[in-house]
Amino acid sequence: MSHFPNETRYETVSYRRCGHSGLVLSPISLGTWQNFGDRNGFDDGRAIVRRAFDRGVTHFDLANMYGPPAGHAEDVFGRILREDFPGLLRHELVVSSKAGYDMWPGPYGRGASRKHLIASIDQTLKRLGVDYVDIFYAHRPWPDDPMEETMAALAQIVRQGKALYVGISSFSPERTRTAHEILKREGVPLLIHQPSYSMLNRHIETGLLDTLEELGVGCIGFSALAQGLLTDRYINGQATSGRSLDPHGTFNKAVLTPDNLANLRGLAAIAWRRGQTLAQMAIAWVLRDPRVTSALIGARTVEQLDDSLDALNNTAFSPEELWEIDQFAREGGIDLWRRISELWTCPGKVESHFLAVRRRPRTG
């Protein structure tokens, strides 16, 4: 059945230009990393997507390995597109996907080679049931795969009409500059970079944001809530819900130290004075920098989604508030997030337990 969207969905959202491109994105984008797997009901995912669109969210972020199992998020979102967003409604959405992590057995099932990327985009389009995606990313750098080959494959995907734009994720400033120059020679602009960014992981402030501004490339920060750590559920020391209770999830409880919890309580107190939840302030804080095009969030329920979207009700910070936040949101204050970010950016150092894709075998 088709969705009949809210007719006023665009009236209260200020869309943000993506770098120097002609594309604008919603300030909050909905990701599908862990909430569109086979442990989550289809109806729940459908309700979240519908509600997000009704509130002005136009950008929906996927990857071929999202699930679990890998591919399931694209299968689910493809069904939602067919049943709820047919015809012209599809053109009101920006749908993005990525490739690079483990997807099928053998040497070609992961990486940034032309072989892997071209096969991946074809599989993605089939799962989504669309002729093209709006943005297609190289999901992570692979130092053993030539950058020239990776960027040439992305350019080929654009020229074939399988993606309108291309992006990269978790590249260092130096790799970003190289990717931009190679794509420029190919006649295809680099639209966007997707790094991790939150109050507890501020590594992009030491070079990457400056590089993106210089190059005219957009930025969408993922893990704006630090996988749920920047929510009110952890400030008392132990959560009653969320990813930390999921035995199959990626949340590392090692971050729940007394010092880190004290920082969370300090941030939560500032948010309370602003009339926000900690999650709302964390999202608004990511968006305080005009170089950030969008903050990428996940949601397990419609209520959680609404709480996050309400961050847009108050995105202004006084200099005094920003100074006070800095006392609790210092880079390195939660070292694990920086270590994980460095591993994503320098994949030669990645340990196997960070790369593991929790998925069951699938065919097709």
Side-chain angles (χ1 to χ4, degrees):
M1 58 181 174
S2 297
H3 177 46
F4 298 97
N6 173 19
E7 294 182 356
T8 64
R9 59 191 176 278
Y10 298 123
E11 294 181 2
T12 60
V13 180
S14 297
Y15 295 87
R16 297 162 73 116
R17 187 157 303 281
C18 191
H20 291 170
S21 76
L23 185 69
V24 297
L25 297 180
S26 47
I28 295 177
S29 300
L30 181 65
T32 59
W33 177 23
Q34 296 190 51
N35 300 329
F36 284 74
D38 61 359
R39 295 192 303 273
N40 307 89
F42 172 78
D43 289 340
D44 292 337
R46 162 184 270 169
I48 290 168
V49 171
R50 285 180 166 187
R51 180 62 172 170
F53 186 62
D54 280 350
R55 294 198 55 179
V57 174
T58 55
H59 181 210
F60 297 86
D61 181 81
L62 302 105
N64 59 354
M65 49 79 69
Y66 288 173
H72 194 75
E74 290 182 333
D75 285 334
V76 169
F77 196 81
R79 180 181 168 188
I80 294 171
L81 283 177
R82 290 189 299 274
E83 297 184 8
D84 295 337
F85 296 88
L88 293 178
L89 277 179
R90 159 65 181 97
H91 301 299
E92 296 188 36
L93 307 180
V94 173
V95 179
S96 64
S97 195
K98 318 176 196 72
Y101 283 92
D102 299 64
M103 273 300 292
W104 61 87
Y108 319 119
R110 69 173 187 174
S113 68
R114 185 188 300 268
K115 169 73 171 175
H116 178 75
L117 293 176
I118 298 301
S120 294
I121 185 64
D122 288 341
Q123 294 171 16
T124 285
L125 297 180
K126 182 177 179 180
R127 282 189 290 267
L128 289 173
V130 297
D131 296 326
Y132 68 92
V133 292
D134 297 282
I135 307 170
F136 191 67
Y137 291 85
H139 202 165
R140 50 159 288 186
W142 286 84
D144 292 336
D145 294 334
M147 182 81 78
E148 291 79 4
E149 179 176 344
T150 300
M151 296 304 119
L154 292 181
Q156 176 180 334
I157 287 168
V158 170
R159 286 193 288 265
Q160 290 177 336
K162 297 175 180 179
L164 302 184
Y165 304 93
V166 294
I168 56 177
S169 178
S170 301
F171 280 44
S172 68
E174 295 76 16
R175 286 180 176 272
T176 297
R177 193 176 297 278
T178 301
H180 177 271
E181 289 305 313
I182 297 172
L183 283 170
K184 184 177 181 180
R185 293 199 299 267
E186 292 277 351
V188 174
L190 175 61
L191 174 80
I192 193 168
H193 187 299
Q194 187 174 132
S196 59
Y197 187 42
S198 74
M199 290 195 292
L200 304 181
N201 183 4
R202 302 178 63 170
H203 71 285
I204 70 172
E205 296 174 0
T206 59
L208 183 58
L209 278 175
D210 288 338
T211 298
L212 297 179
E213 181 180 30
E214 177 188 343
L215 299 177
V217 175
C219 176
I220 175 170
F222 73 83
S223 287
L225 299 182
Q227 293 198 51
L229 189 59
L230 287 166
T231 64
D232 292 336
R233 69 170 65 99
Y234 293 103
I235 58 178
N236 292 324
Q238 187 170 359
T240 58
S241 63
R243 289 178 176 171
S244 68
L245 302 182
D246 184 352
H248 305 290
T250 59
F251 189 92
N252 192 317
K253 296 181 182 179
V255 300
L256 299 176
T257 65
D259 286 347
N260 294 339
L261 291 171
N263 282 338
L264 292 179
R265 285 190 284 270
L267 292 170
I270 301 170
W272 181 82
R273 293 199 302 271
R274 287 171 49 85
Q276 293 180 308
T277 64
L278 176 54
Q280 289 166 355
M281 185 179 78
I283 294 168
W285 181 90
V286 166
L287 293 172
R288 82 199 186 284
D289 193 317
R291 295 172 294 184
V292 175
T293 311
S294 187
L296 183 58
I297 65 161
R300 292 177 180 265
T301 65
V302 170
E303 292 74 22
Q304 191 179 83
L305 172 72
D306 278 335
D307 181 79
S308 293
L309 294 179
D310 285 344
L312 299 179
N313 295 336
N314 183 10
T315 58
F317 290 89
S318 70
E320 293 76 18
E321 286 175 325
L322 291 174
W323 179 88
E324 189 175 5
I325 288 171
D326 283 345
Q327 311 315 301
F328 302 103
R330 297 181 297 272
E331 170 63 22
I334 294 184
D335 291 335
L336 180 66
W337 298 112
R338 175 158 188 162
R339 291 203 301 274
I340 291 175
S341 175
E342 289 172 345
L343 292 172
W344 276 328
T345 306
C346 305
K349 302 178 182 178
V350 180
E351 299 178 23
S352 60
H353 66 278
F354 283 134
L355 278 178
V357 178
R358 292 180 173 85
R359 59 185 175 95
R360 288 184 283 279
R362 63 184 285 121
T363 59

